[in-house]
Amino acid sequence: MTSAPRHTRLKHQLSSFAIIGIASTIANVVLFYVLNLTMNAQVANALSLIITTILNTAANRRFTFGVRSREGAGRAQLQGLVLWLIMWAATALALFLLLHANPDASHTAQSVVQLAGNVVATIIRFVMLRRWFAPKPAVAAGDSRVERSA
């Protein structure tokens, strides 16, 4: 019995994703906080998420899921854009609700709420990245399990 390749094992993927995710989340919250000092919270949120999503997608593609070739990198970033939209929606909604409830919320409170939205979106991110970057199973010639067209 042979073990699964390094980058297909769930344990490796979860630990690598967690390390990259923690670094990305810290970078995102710090960037959001700094940008929010000079601009609207929603604009700061969008910009900080765009920057960290691009870096996060590239890092997860390479280190978490073991995709090292440049082939498909553009598609991966487009998929990252879909994830960015999910993350943006979760964090923008969280900020909207906070600022609706407390228009004078501090930058720290806004950063905490933005972080909470980010955590929810991160769970979705792992599931989607794992699905997109998982190697496709090879189909052996004559395999009776091959789907047939209807």
Side-chain angles (χ1 to χ4, degrees), residues 28 42 45-54 56-57 76-94 114 117-118 120-122 124-125 128-129 132:
N28 180 271
Q42 294 291 5
N45 179 47
L47 288 175
S48 65
L49 284 172
I50 288 169
I51 293 165
T52 56
T53 296
I54 290 168
N56 181 289
T57 300
Q77 287 298 339
L78 288 175
Q79 290 168 325
L81 177 62
V82 170
L83 297 174
W84 174 84
L85 288 170
I86 292 168
M87 293 187 79
W88 174 79
T91 57
L93 178 60
Q114 196 254 8
N118 203 326
V120 170
T122 295
I124 297 167
R125 180 178 194 74
M128 296 307 294
L129 287 175
W132 289 334

Side-chain angles (χ1 to χ4, degrees), residues 84-104:
W84 174 84
L85 288 170
I86 292 168
M87 293 187 79
W88 174 79
T91 57
L93 178 60
L95 285 169
F96 173 79
L97 293 173
L98 171 68
L99 294 173
H100 181 72
N102 180 6
D104 298 321

Side-chain angles (χ1 to χ4, degrees), residues 18-130:
I19 291 166
I20 292 167
I22 289 167
S24 294
T25 300
I26 291 168
N28 180 271
V29 170
V30 169
L31 190 55
F32 170 77
Y33 185 88
V34 170
L35 291 172
N36 193 18
L37 293 174
T38 61
M39 63 183 66
N40 174 283
Q42 294 291 5
V43 174
N45 179 47
L47 288 175
S48 65
L49 284 172
I50 288 169
I51 293 165
T52 56
T53 296
I54 290 168
L55 298 172
N56 181 289
T57 300
N60 274 308
R61 184 175 186 267
R62 179 173 175 86
F63 299 112
T64 303
F65 301 104
V67 180
R68 288 181 166 60
S69 71
R70 291 182 183 218
E71 182 180 338
R75 186 184 79 231
Q77 287 298 339
L78 288 175
Q79 290 168 325
L81 177 62
V82 170
L83 297 174
W84 174 84
L85 288 170
I86 292 168
M87 293 187 79
W88 174 79
T91 57
L93 178 60
L95 285 169
F96 173 79
L97 293 173
L98 171 68
L99 294 173
H100 181 72
N102 180 6
D104 298 321
S106 70
H107 291 295
T108 301
Q110 291 177 43
S111 295
V112 169
V113 167
Q114 196 254 8
L115 172 63
N118 203 326
V119 168
V120 170
T122 295
I123 295 166
I124 297 167
R125 180 178 194 74
F126 178 77
V127 172
M128 296 307 294
L129 287 175
R130 190 161 196 266

